Amino acid sequence: MNVGLVTLGCTKNQVDSEMILGVFKSQGFNITNQVEEADIIVVNTCGFIEPAKEEAINTILEMADYKVDGNCKALIVTGCLAKRYKKQIYESLPEVDLVIGVDEYNNFSKILTEFFSQSNIFSHYKFDQKLDFNNRIISSTYPLAYIRIGDGCDNKCSYCAIPLIRGGFESRQMEDILEEVKGLAEQGLKEFTIIAQDTSKYGLDIYGELKLAELLRRMSKIEGVKWIRILYMYLYETTDELIEEIARNPKVCKYFDIPVQHLNNKMLKDMNRHDTKELIYERIARIRELCPDAILRTTCIVGFPGETEEQFEELIDGIKELKFDRLGAFTYSPEEDTKSYDFDGQLDEDIKQDRLKRLMDTQKQISLEKNKARLGKTYEVIVEDIDETEEYFVCRSMLEAPDVDGRIYVKIDEESASKVIVGDYAQVEIIDYNDYDLFAKVK
């Protein structure tokens, strides 16, 4: 029997998917990337904002077609949308055979066994493997693995549904994380990206103090670990100890992913953010003081209820002043059951889209300046792939995060082909740039 799985949404979902595949493989199923060949199709959904919900529904319907045109005998929906709208999925999508929300993952095997026991095709399967971080089918590009150190969130931002879906923040035990990293390193994986809804809060709930800096120190001592990157840090929890550990630890990428969302205090308060504009400026100055070569990435929301043109301009001015190396942005999406869903001052979509364009146009110029400053510099890169034109090697240095940042492209010629291997590391020199990507030659 073949199992195909489609993952939507964030890298936290990707880790869930890898554990789900681990459960199926442990029971003797074959994992396939060709969904038309799959006897079972699993769609792991995102339910964060409206576009993500729409994508999930469309994907479920697309996969349902394989019940007619392919081999699919069971369509299973998991993930965040499955948690928020389980009843509605069953009622409105009769093509779906089983819905398992993230809140049911502890009973994943039991639910599958009960479901399959009612089927003539799958009744002999008895699942006994729980979702386990040490039993994952890694799906990221070699030699990268995502390491989820916690789940849920306590921040309760007024626009965010994550606490409704994933619950409060829960750290994993440090020893369990280190065991997972050690096992993956023994398999040959070298780059480890730390993720959670709030990585900087790691340890506070189970140890009574912030422990991310200690986790970095201990991870870096594991044989085979080459690069460690942290995503989703909150500035109010980004302590001097953490900044200094990132700055001095040669295995930790000098990369600060710090979502600020806005730079106007009224907007930050309405969003129920724990940062103020002043704290954001102070912490960023401190990062650049203690770690002068730091790369700073952030995200912003435009069009939040009540956002005035003046408040938006304050955000633009702050972006020009702070000069983040990387910036992502999205328009406010009103989410059911969140505090801001009923706020007055909901803005028209055309205003949101206009502000999004203006913000990204501002960042494009900053990104261009940042890339220009890297001309002539040499970096060690991981060679991820060959681009679709088959003209360039696609690479990343410690300064580019997977999935979200631009890439470094190396022209495939006689010299580079003799020195560069996909999945290995190389030394390159930056020779050109555009808005978001860099071009290099091998050294």
Side-chain angles (χ1 to χ4, degrees):
M1 290 288 182
N2 294 321
V3 174
L5 190 149
V6 180
T7 301
L8 305 174
C10 66
T11 52
K12 277 84 72 178
N13 245 21
Q14 181 176 334
V15 172
D16 285 341
S17 290
E18 292 173 348
M19 291 191 286
I20 289 170
L21 289 176
V23 168
F24 278 104
K25 186 175 182 181
S26 70
Q27 303 305 310
F29 284 86
N30 178 56
I31 310 303
T32 178
N33 291 325
Q34 307 300 319
V35 287
E36 66 274 11
E37 299 176 358
D39 300 285
I40 300 170
I41 298 178
V42 182
V43 181
N44 191 4
T45 59
C46 175
F48 180 45
I49 56 177
E50 194 61 34
K53 296 180 206 172
E54 292 174 3
E55 181 187 23
I57 298 299
N58 290 335
T59 302
I60 292 168
L61 292 172
E62 181 184 346
M63 293 303 109
D65 288 342
Y66 289 109
K67 286 187 154 186
V68 178
D69 301 326
N71 293 331
C72 182
K73 301 169 186 67
L75 177 58
I76 301 173
V77 175
T78 65
C80 294
L81 191 80
K83 162 64 169 65
R84 280 191 91 182
Y85 302 106
K86 181 175 185 175
K87 181 180 178 182
Q88 293 92 323
I89 292 172
Y90 275 129
E91 290 176 349
S92 60
L93 296 170
E95 301 90 344
V96 175
D97 299 290
L98 180 63
V99 182
I100 308 176
V102 294
D103 57 330
E104 300 176 286
Y105 282 175
N106 286 339
N107 295 316
F108 194 84
S109 289
K110 180 181 178 182
I111 292 168
L112 287 180
T113 297
E114 290 177 353
F115 170 68
F116 284 153
S117 68
Q118 302 167 16
S119 165
N120 292 329
I121 303 170
F122 304 112
S123 58
H124 60 287
Y125 285 104
K126 301 292 187 289
F127 290 83
D128 55 10
Q129 175 71 48
K130 294 182 179 180
L131 295 193
D132 185 355
F133 288 99
N134 292 312
N135 185 40
R136 291 162 56 190
I137 308 298
I138 299 299
S139 59
S140 46
T141 303
Y142 177 84
L144 166 71
Y146 288 99
I147 304 297
R148 199 173 75 203
I149 62 172
D151 200 10
C153 189
D154 292 337
N155 290 314
K156 295 183 171 63
C157 298
S158 65
Y159 52 83
C160 184
I162 287 175
L164 304 174
I165 300 169
R166 296 268 181 176
F169 185 78
E170 294 184 9
S171 302
R172 292 175 60 197
Q173 293 289 329
M174 190 177 299
E175 296 303 328
D176 292 344
I177 296 168
L178 296 171
E179 179 186 357
E180 178 190 3
V181 173
K182 183 174 183 291
L184 292 172
E186 288 173 350
Q187 295 175 36
L189 296 169
K190 302 178 185 299
E191 180 180 358
F192 298 89
T193 296
I194 294 173
I195 57 172
Q197 274 76 20
D198 180 357
T199 52
S200 44
K201 195 183 283 318
Y202 174 71
L204 187 62
D205 56 322
I206 56 176
Y207 300 117
E209 58 183 323
L210 300 174
K211 286 284 191 177
L212 184 55
E214 180 182 338
L215 178 63
L216 293 175
R217 282 193 292 274
R218 295 185 65 183
M219 275 183 64
S220 66
K221 294 176 182 177
I222 295 174
E223 185 177 354
V225 172
K226 185 175 178 67
W227 290 354
I228 304 170
R229 188 186 312 277
I230 317 162
L231 299 182
Y232 315 113
M233 292 187 288
Y234 281 72
L235 276 172
Y236 77 97
E237 298 160 336
T238 303
T239 62
D240 282 6
E241 179 193 14
L242 177 57
I243 298 168
E244 288 169 351
E245 181 63 32
I246 294 171
R248 66 173 175 243
N249 192 323
K251 292 188 178 181
V252 178
C253 302
K254 316 313 175 201
Y255 190 99
F256 292 79
D257 179 28
I258 43 174
V260 299
Q261 308 305 11
H262 216 286
L263 292 170
N264 170 267
N265 277 334
K266 173 66 164 58
M267 286 289 97
L268 289 168
K269 183 178 180 181
D270 288 351
M271 291 177 179
N272 198 35
R273 301 288 293 176
H274 296 280
D275 298 331
T276 62
K277 178 178 180 178
E278 292 73 24
L279 186 144
I280 290 169
Y281 273 70
E282 184 273 326
R283 286 284 86 194
I284 288 176
R286 190 65 171 152
I287 289 171
R288 285 174 167 157
E289 176 188 350
L290 296 176
C291 189
D293 54 349
I295 290 288
L296 271 60
R297 185 181 194 277
T298 197
T299 56
C300 298
I301 299 173
V302 298
F304 191 80
E307 183 188 54
T308 65
E309 178 64 23
E310 183 180 24
Q311 290 165 338
F312 174 70
E313 287 291 345
E314 187 175 351
L315 171 61
I316 291 285
D317 290 342
I319 296 304
K320 290 178 180 177
E321 186 175 352
L322 291 170
K323 293 187 181 299
F324 291 96
D325 299 88
R326 316 275 160 69
L327 183 147
F330 53 96
T331 59
Y332 169 75
S333 173
E335 292 303 309
E336 294 172 301
D337 301 321
T338 62
K339 189 175 180 181
S340 66
Y341 185 77
D342 296 317
F343 279 6
D344 294 333
Q346 302 283 339
L347 301 183
D348 292 339
E349 190 61 31
D350 58 345
I351 294 175
K352 297 179 189 178
Q353 293 298 329
D354 175 70
R355 290 179 180 176
L356 178 63
K357 183 179 184 304
R358 288 158 61 192
L359 177 61
M360 295 313 298
D361 284 346
T362 299
Q363 179 60 30
K364 184 182 291 187
Q365 292 304 311
I366 296 169
S367 178
L368 199 63
E369 294 170 15
K370 295 281 188 177
N371 280 351
K372 182 179 180 180
R374 293 174 68 179
L375 280 175
K377 294 186 177 180
T378 298
Y379 298 96
E380 183 180 35
V381 297
I382 176 66
V383 184
E384 289 186 313
D385 205 348
I386 293 173
D387 81 324
E388 58 186 18
T389 69
E390 299 186 349
E391 294 181 7
Y392 292 92
F393 291 109
V394 184
C395 312
R396 283 188 299 108
S397 73
M398 290 182 86
L399 306 184
E400 287 82 39
D403 299 321
V404 294
D405 291 338
R407 291 292 186 267
I408 299 174
Y409 291 91
V410 175
K411 184 77 172 176
I412 299 175
D413 56 26
E414 187 174 340
E415 181 183 9
S416 63
S418 67
K419 296 181 178 180
V420 173
I421 300 172
V422 173
D424 205 348
Y425 295 85
Q427 294 287 327
V428 303
E429 179 185 341
I430 307 301
I431 58 173
D432 201 0
Y433 63 96
N434 60 24
D435 297 339
Y436 297 111
D437 297 316
L438 297 161
F439 298 86
K441 64 179 181 180
V442 292
K443 293 284 286 184

